[in-house]
Amino acid sequence: MSSSSLKSLLSGAVLLAAPLALANSSTTIPAFDAKVATARTATSPGGTTVTRGEMSGALHTFIDFDDGVVDAAERTYLGTKVGNATFLTGVEETAKKFLTDFYELNDAATTPAPLSLYWLQDSPEDLYGAGGPLADASNILEGFIPYGQGVANQLTLLETLKSTQEFGYGAPNSSFYPITESELITTLSGTAGFDYETPSQDEVNGAAAFINQISSNSHRLYQASWACFRGCQGDVGGYVIAAVSTDRRFVRVVKVITWVE
């Protein structure tokens, strides 16, 4: 089994296993605090500075070792950290942004907003301005939430993609996490398709530009993994990128196949 396949399997297993080992804020909050405290020590990867990777690892506690969602108590606690000058002392800027983006995305909503997603008429090759394995492995949808009926958050993205027939086989098997434009480029540059081919730089740049048309002003880019283990021609999976507009109503989704068994 390939490492990418194993990674997708494990990410899916986390969500499946979480309810059995149900944690809550009494467990996740101390775990988060402990990870941040460790990140501030001189022997940590960033020294006494909390890096983006360390902040990401700490915030993953609220999802990966819990029930897969940030609940109201956890969000309230995170709200005491966002914008808190004392807490943010010694936290690098990219780590601060990850905290802010994570807090916004995981707003503890209990009802998804009515986001409708539809196929685009043009092919991925036309939309990227270049053909190749990335375009061939892509499915693209976009749509919007009616004005005044909510915003694109974690619950809305996950529930919409799970219930949208046009999304095709497979659905997200992990929560979404904020990514930067450079992380987007890194993801798009990886092998894609059933033959694990490497996209050209033109194809990667075209895909990134197409995705960033939606998020260039808001900088709201999110990534999750997806997989299909039943009803498919073999096990198959990959990643999903969601780009969200400034008002958080318009969403463009790119789903890419990166592995198959």
mmCIF file of all heavy atoms in Angstrom, residues 141-165:
data_model
loop_
_atom_site.group_PDB
_atom_site.id
_atom_site.type_symbol
_atom_site.label_atom_id
_atom_site.label_comp_id
_atom_site.label_asym_id
_atom_site.label_seq_id
_atom_site.Cartn_x
_atom_site.Cartn_y
_atom_site.Cartn_z
ATOM 1 N N LEU A 141 -16.330 21.851 -8.861
ATOM 2 C CA LEU A 141 -17.676 22.326 -8.581
ATOM 3 C C LEU A 141 -17.590 23.724 -7.985
ATOM 4 O O LEU A 141 -16.575 24.095 -7.389
ATOM 5 C CB LEU A 141 -18.380 21.416 -7.569
ATOM 6 C CG LEU A 141 -18.608 19.953 -7.936
ATOM 7 C CD1 LEU A 141 -19.065 19.188 -6.704
ATOM 8 C CD2 LEU A 141 -19.637 19.831 -9.038
ATOM 9 N N GLU A 142 -18.644 24.497 -8.132
ATOM 10 C CA GLU A 142 -18.708 25.775 -7.437
ATOM 11 C C GLU A 142 -20.167 26.152 -7.217
ATOM 12 O O GLU A 142 -21.080 25.617 -7.853
ATOM 13 C CB GLU A 142 -17.968 26.873 -8.189
ATOM 14 C CG GLU A 142 -18.546 27.249 -9.532
ATOM 15 C CD GLU A 142 -17.741 28.348 -10.221
ATOM 16 O OE1 GLU A 142 -16.503 28.377 -10.077
ATOM 17 O OE2 GLU A 142 -18.358 29.168 -10.911
ATOM 18 N N GLY A 143 -20.382 27.049 -6.299
ATOM 19 C CA GLY A 143 -21.741 27.480 -6.001
ATOM 20 C C GLY A 143 -21.732 28.497 -4.886
ATOM 21 O O GLY A 143 -20.678 28.983 -4.466
ATOM 22 N N PHE A 144 -22.924 28.836 -4.386
ATOM 23 C CA PHE A 144 -23.007 29.900 -3.402
ATOM 24 C C PHE A 144 -24.123 29.640 -2.390
ATOM 25 O O PHE A 144 -25.019 28.813 -2.613
ATOM 26 C CB PHE A 144 -23.244 31.248 -4.085
ATOM 27 C CG PHE A 144 -24.564 31.342 -4.817
ATOM 28 C CD1 PHE A 144 -25.683 31.854 -4.182
ATOM 29 C CD2 PHE A 144 -24.683 30.890 -6.125
ATOM 30 C CE1 PHE A 144 -26.907 31.929 -4.842
ATOM 31 C CE2 PHE A 144 -25.900 30.969 -6.796
ATOM 32 C CZ PHE A 144 -27.009 31.487 -6.150
ATOM 33 N N ILE A 145 -24.021 30.352 -1.297
ATOM 34 C CA ILE A 145 -25.039 30.342 -0.252
ATOM 35 C C ILE A 145 -25.893 31.591 -0.434
ATOM 36 O O ILE A 145 -25.356 32.695 -0.568
ATOM 37 C CB ILE A 145 -24.376 30.371 1.140
ATOM 38 C CG1 ILE A 145 -23.503 29.125 1.332
ATOM 39 C CG2 ILE A 145 -25.422 30.467 2.248
ATOM 40 C CD1 ILE A 145 -22.579 29.217 2.535
ATOM 41 N N PRO A 146 -27.211 31.463 -0.494
ATOM 42 C CA PRO A 146 -28.069 32.647 -0.655
ATOM 43 C C PRO A 146 -27.787 33.689 0.423
ATOM 44 O O PRO A 146 -27.467 33.350 1.572
ATOM 45 C CB PRO A 146 -29.483 32.079 -0.521
ATOM 46 C CG PRO A 146 -29.348 30.643 -0.943
ATOM 47 C CD PRO A 146 -27.997 30.211 -0.442
ATOM 48 N N TYR A 147 -27.887 34.941 0.033
ATOM 49 C CA TYR A 147 -27.596 36.045 0.945
ATOM 50 C C TYR A 147 -28.437 35.955 2.215
ATOM 51 O O TYR A 147 -29.636 35.722 2.173
ATOM 52 C CB TYR A 147 -27.874 37.383 0.257
ATOM 53 C CG TYR A 147 -27.476 38.574 1.084
ATOM 54 C CD1 TYR A 147 -26.150 38.965 1.194
ATOM 55 C CD2 TYR A 147 -28.451 39.287 1.784
ATOM 56 C CE1 TYR A 147 -25.790 40.057 1.981
ATOM 57 C CE2 TYR A 147 -28.093 40.384 2.564
ATOM 58 C CZ TYR A 147 -26.753 40.759 2.660
ATOM 59 O OH TYR A 147 -26.402 41.827 3.431
ATOM 60 N N GLY A 148 -27.749 36.096 3.336
ATOM 61 C CA GLY A 148 -28.436 36.099 4.619
ATOM 62 C C GLY A 148 -28.747 34.734 5.182
ATOM 63 O O GLY A 148 -29.387 34.620 6.237
ATOM 64 N N GLN A 149 -28.289 33.654 4.506
ATOM 65 C CA GLN A 149 -28.618 32.307 4.967
ATOM 66 C C GLN A 149 -27.405 31.540 5.486
ATOM 67 O O GLN A 149 -27.418 30.316 5.545
ATOM 68 C CB GLN A 149 -29.310 31.525 3.845
ATOM 69 C CG GLN A 149 -30.643 32.121 3.453
ATOM 70 C CD GLN A 149 -31.424 31.247 2.491
ATOM 71 O OE1 GLN A 149 -31.398 30.022 2.595
ATOM 72 N NE2 GLN A 149 -32.124 31.859 1.562
ATOM 73 N N GLY A 150 -26.364 32.267 5.865
ATOM 74 C CA GLY A 150 -25.219 31.601 6.472
ATOM 75 C C GLY A 150 -23.946 31.800 5.686
ATOM 76 O O GLY A 150 -23.914 32.515 4.673
ATOM 77 N N VAL A 151 -22.887 31.158 6.159
ATOM 78 C CA VAL A 151 -21.568 31.269 5.539
ATOM 79 C C VAL A 151 -20.948 29.889 5.403
ATOM 80 O O VAL A 151 -21.403 28.918 6.011
ATOM 81 C CB VAL A 151 -20.641 32.174 6.381
ATOM 82 C CG1 VAL A 151 -21.165 33.600 6.427
ATOM 83 C CG2 VAL A 151 -20.467 31.623 7.798
ATOM 84 N N ALA A 152 -19.898 29.829 4.605
ATOM 85 C CA ALA A 152 -19.178 28.570 4.411
ATOM 86 C C ALA A 152 -18.273 28.325 5.618
ATOM 87 O O ALA A 152 -17.285 29.031 5.822
ATOM 88 C CB ALA A 152 -18.352 28.631 3.126
ATOM 89 N N ASN A 153 -18.627 27.349 6.412
ATOM 90 C CA ASN A 153 -17.834 26.947 7.565
ATOM 91 C C ASN A 153 -17.531 25.455 7.470
ATOM 92 O O ASN A 153 -17.840 24.812 6.457
ATOM 93 C CB ASN A 153 -18.561 27.295 8.873
ATOM 94 C CG ASN A 153 -19.987 26.752 8.878
ATOM 95 O OD1 ASN A 153 -20.288 25.752 8.222
ATOM 96 N ND2 ASN A 153 -20.878 27.421 9.604
ATOM 97 N N GLN A 154 -16.937 24.910 8.514
ATOM 98 C CA GLN A 154 -16.564 23.496 8.488
ATOM 99 C C GLN A 154 -17.768 22.591 8.234
ATOM 100 O O GLN A 154 -17.741 21.716 7.356
ATOM 101 C CB GLN A 154 -15.910 23.121 9.823
ATOM 102 C CG GLN A 154 -15.412 21.700 9.926
ATOM 103 C CD GLN A 154 -14.094 21.500 9.220
ATOM 104 O OE1 GLN A 154 -14.074 21.034 8.063
ATOM 105 N NE2 GLN A 154 -13.002 21.844 9.867
ATOM 106 N N LEU A 155 -18.824 22.796 8.996
ATOM 107 C CA LEU A 155 -20.009 21.946 8.869
ATOM 108 C C LEU A 155 -20.627 22.059 7.485
ATOM 109 O O LEU A 155 -20.999 21.046 6.877
ATOM 110 C CB LEU A 155 -21.031 22.334 9.939
ATOM 111 C CG LEU A 155 -22.314 21.492 9.960
ATOM 112 C CD1 LEU A 155 -21.992 20.043 10.298
ATOM 113 C CD2 LEU A 155 -23.314 22.074 10.958
ATOM 114 N N THR A 156 -20.731 23.269 6.974
ATOM 115 C CA THR A 156 -21.337 23.476 5.657
ATOM 116 C C THR A 156 -20.532 22.794 4.563
ATOM 117 O O THR A 156 -21.094 22.115 3.688
ATOM 118 C CB THR A 156 -21.460 24.974 5.359
ATOM 119 O OG1 THR A 156 -22.339 25.574 6.321
ATOM 120 C CG2 THR A 156 -22.006 25.217 3.965
ATOM 121 N N LEU A 157 -19.212 22.938 4.587
ATOM 122 C CA LEU A 157 -18.376 22.311 3.562
ATOM 123 C C LEU A 157 -18.493 20.790 3.613
ATOM 124 O O LEU A 157 -18.692 20.128 2.585
ATOM 125 C CB LEU A 157 -16.920 22.737 3.745
ATOM 126 C CG LEU A 157 -16.602 24.208 3.458
ATOM 127 C CD1 LEU A 157 -15.146 24.500 3.805
ATOM 128 C CD2 LEU A 157 -16.878 24.560 1.995
ATOM 129 N N LEU A 158 -18.377 20.227 4.790
ATOM 130 C CA LEU A 158 -18.410 18.769 4.906
ATOM 131 C C LEU A 158 -19.773 18.200 4.534
ATOM 132 O O LEU A 158 -19.868 17.243 3.754
ATOM 133 C CB LEU A 158 -18.035 18.347 6.329
ATOM 134 C CG LEU A 158 -16.577 18.533 6.733
ATOM 135 C CD1 LEU A 158 -16.384 18.168 8.207
ATOM 136 C CD2 LEU A 158 -15.659 17.689 5.858
ATOM 137 N N GLU A 159 -20.830 18.767 5.085
ATOM 138 C CA GLU A 159 -22.163 18.221 4.828
ATOM 139 C C GLU A 159 -22.575 18.404 3.379
ATOM 140 O O GLU A 159 -23.216 17.524 2.788
ATOM 141 C CB GLU A 159 -23.182 18.879 5.763
ATOM 142 C CG GLU A 159 -23.013 18.514 7.225
ATOM 143 C CD GLU A 159 -23.109 17.013 7.463
ATOM 144 O OE1 GLU A 159 -24.035 16.381 6.912
ATOM 145 O OE2 GLU A 159 -22.250 16.468 8.179
ATOM 146 N N THR A 160 -22.201 19.519 2.779
ATOM 147 C CA THR A 160 -22.560 19.748 1.378
ATOM 148 C C THR A 160 -21.856 18.760 0.470
ATOM 149 O O THR A 160 -22.467 18.173 -0.433
ATOM 150 C CB THR A 160 -22.199 21.184 0.954
ATOM 151 O OG1 THR A 160 -22.912 22.111 1.775
ATOM 152 C CG2 THR A 160 -22.574 21.422 -0.508
ATOM 153 N N LEU A 161 -20.576 18.536 0.691
ATOM 154 C CA LEU A 161 -19.826 17.628 -0.173
ATOM 155 C C LEU A 161 -20.259 16.174 0.020
ATOM 156 O O LEU A 161 -20.223 15.376 -0.917
ATOM 157 C CB LEU A 161 -18.328 17.771 0.072
ATOM 158 C CG LEU A 161 -17.740 19.113 -0.378
ATOM 159 C CD1 LEU A 161 -16.267 19.191 -0.032
ATOM 160 C CD2 LEU A 161 -17.944 19.327 -1.872
ATOM 161 N N LYS A 162 -20.684 15.842 1.217
ATOM 162 C CA LYS A 162 -21.159 14.485 1.457
ATOM 163 C C LYS A 162 -22.509 14.226 0.791
ATOM 164 O O LYS A 162 -22.830 13.081 0.449
ATOM 165 C CB LYS A 162 -21.276 14.224 2.961
ATOM 166 C CG LYS A 162 -19.932 14.101 3.665
ATOM 167 C CD LYS A 162 -20.120 13.931 5.163
ATOM 168 C CE LYS A 162 -18.784 13.859 5.880
ATOM 169 N NZ LYS A 162 -18.949 13.743 7.352
ATOM 170 N N SER A 163 -23.286 15.281 0.603
ATOM 171 C CA SER A 163 -24.645 15.108 0.080
ATOM 172 C C SER A 163 -24.807 15.559 -1.368
ATOM 173 O O SER A 163 -25.884 15.401 -1.937
ATOM 174 C CB SER A 163 -25.639 15.886 0.954
ATOM 175 O OG SER A 163 -25.354 17.273 0.930
ATOM 176 N N THR A 164 -23.747 16.107 -1.971
ATOM 177 C CA THR A 164 -23.840 16.597 -3.345
ATOM 178 C C THR A 164 -23.518 15.477 -4.323
ATOM 179 O O THR A 164 -22.388 15.010 -4.392
ATOM 180 C CB THR A 164 -22.881 17.776 -3.584
ATOM 181 O OG1 THR A 164 -23.236 18.846 -2.692
ATOM 182 C CG2 THR A 164 -22.968 18.276 -5.020
ATOM 183 N N GLN A 165 -24.508 15.048 -5.075
ATOM 184 C CA GLN A 165 -24.321 13.945 -6.008
ATOM 185 C C GLN A 165 -23.261 14.274 -7.055
ATOM 186 O O GLN A 165 -22.479 13.409 -7.460
ATOM 187 C CB GLN A 165 -25.648 13.603 -6.692
ATOM 188 C CG GLN A 165 -25.561 12.390 -7.622
ATOM 189 C CD GLN A 165 -26.929 12.038 -8.203
ATOM 190 O OE1 GLN A 165 -27.918 12.703 -7.939
ATOM 191 N NE2 GLN A 165 -26.989 10.981 -8.991
#
